[in-house]
Amino acid sequence: MIHFKPIKVFSLLLSIYCYSFSVLYTEGQKGVVRTLSAKTYGPLILNIGIGFNYAQDKNFMQDVQDNNNEKVPNDYGRMLTGLLSMSIGATSFLDFASSLPIFYDKTGIGNGIRDGGIGDLALSAKLLYPPPGKPRVFHQAFLLSGTIPSGTKSNGIFPRYTCFLDEKPMSGTFYTTDCFTFKPMVLWTFDIGSIVPRFQLDIDLNIGGIFSIDTDRNNIIFLNLALFYTPFEVLS
């Protein structure tokens, strides 16, 4: 007699996260605020994230003019930034991610000037090397990301990509760099919890830069450091 057992043909682990802050700067990759983790999500893990950030500063910009060269009152600058992101763990050592920022600006109180639009689409890939195996302290990954100039060029009151601008006064493309940018990074993570299970602490260190193909734009070299502590499974 022949016995047949059920065969599991395909399984997909889907997890949907709603971030509030860190997703704004990690562009869908695993990390803390502006610092990324070398660890990957794992195979067949899909993440969908949304985050918002509100900022207000009276002295954020001085002598602001809109795209019609009309002076914007020097009053409280209110900036709302949202980000939609999606990432997928293709394998245990490879992640892909994409994100799209959404901007909204308003000046003054009451009937102030307001404007909004979308920013540049970001795409990234992270390769963990060596691939994951037994629990270990040191993790190393390589990340390459870039942006496509998809932002609205005619909208905006406060520039959001000021790190690339070298012109004074700033004008024009407030919601886009108006050129392709590339961000290569080396990611290191030290997993203290792998040797001290009761102390789940990750130390993340990033070295990288942001470069554009426009010779009139500024380039950036950066070093990021973050501590990620998880005292309980539901609290980090």
Side-chain angles (χ1 to χ4, degrees):
M1 180 179 294
I2 301 176
H3 297 276
F4 293 93
K5 294 183 179 180
I7 300 176
K8 183 181 294 185
V9 179
F10 179 77
S11 64
L12 175 66
L13 179 60
L14 171 65
S15 58
I16 300 178
Y17 294 98
C18 290
Y19 303 93
S20 61
F21 188 77
S22 63
V23 71
L24 293 174
Y25 305 105
T26 61
E27 298 176 349
Q29 294 284 357
K30 178 180 288 188
V32 182
V33 190
R34 300 180 187 275
T35 307
L36 302 182
S37 171
K39 297 179 179 180
T40 55
Y41 286 115
L44 298 179
I45 299 291
L46 176 65
N47 300 279
I48 300 174
I50 180 171
F52 297 95
N53 181 38
Y54 175 79
Q56 176 176 311
D57 188 353
K58 184 175 183 179
N59 298 314
F60 174 68
M61 295 291 293
Q62 301 289 333
D63 299 325
V64 180
Q65 294 181 349
D66 60 19
N67 290 308
N68 296 321
N69 294 323
E70 296 181 1
K71 185 176 177 60
V72 175
N74 183 26
D75 208 334
Y76 285 98
R78 305 166 189 271
M79 294 163 284
L80 179 65
T81 302
L83 190 81
L84 303 175
S85 68
M86 182 176 67
S87 59
I88 184 170
T91 67
S92 60
F93 56 87
L94 182 63
D95 287 348
F96 295 99
S98 63
S99 63
L100 181 68
I102 303 173
F103 304 129
Y104 177 77
D105 296 333
K106 184 178 183 297
T107 65
I109 300 175
N111 297 323
I113 301 174
R114 62 188 69 191
D115 206 350
I118 63 173
D120 291 343
L121 177 67
L123 304 172
S124 63
K126 180 202 293 183
L127 174 66
L128 175 63
Y129 184 83
K134 296 181 179 180
R136 61 177 186 263
V137 176
F138 179 69
H139 301 259
Q140 176 180 261
F142 303 93
L143 180 135
L144 178 62
S145 67
T147 62
I148 300 173
S150 59
T152 48
K153 297 182 179 181
S154 58
N155 293 22
I157 300 174
F158 303 109
R160 303 306 178 93
Y161 299 96
T162 56
C163 55
F164 290 103
L165 296 176
D166 195 27
E167 55 179 305
K168 297 181 180 179
M170 298 177 183
S171 62
T173 54
F174 285 178
Y175 287 170
T176 176
T177 59
D178 203 23
C179 64
F180 291 91
T181 67
F182 303 92
K183 182 169 65 174
M185 298 174 63
V186 177
L187 315 177
W188 294 325
T189 294
F190 299 89
D191 185 358
I192 307 302
S194 64
I195 54 177
V196 186
R198 294 186 178 181
F199 189 61
Q200 294 298 317
L201 173 68
D202 282 0
I203 303 174
D204 299 326
L205 179 64
N206 301 167
I207 300 175
I210 306 177
F211 308 95
S212 70
I213 62 175
D214 189 343
T215 57
D216 294 329
R217 304 279 181 170
N218 291 323
N219 298 317
I220 301 172
I221 302 295
F222 58 80
L223 175 65
N224 295 338
L225 175 65
L227 304 179
F228 186 70
Y229 177 54
T230 308
F232 308 103
E233 186 176 355
V234 296
L235 178 65
S236 298

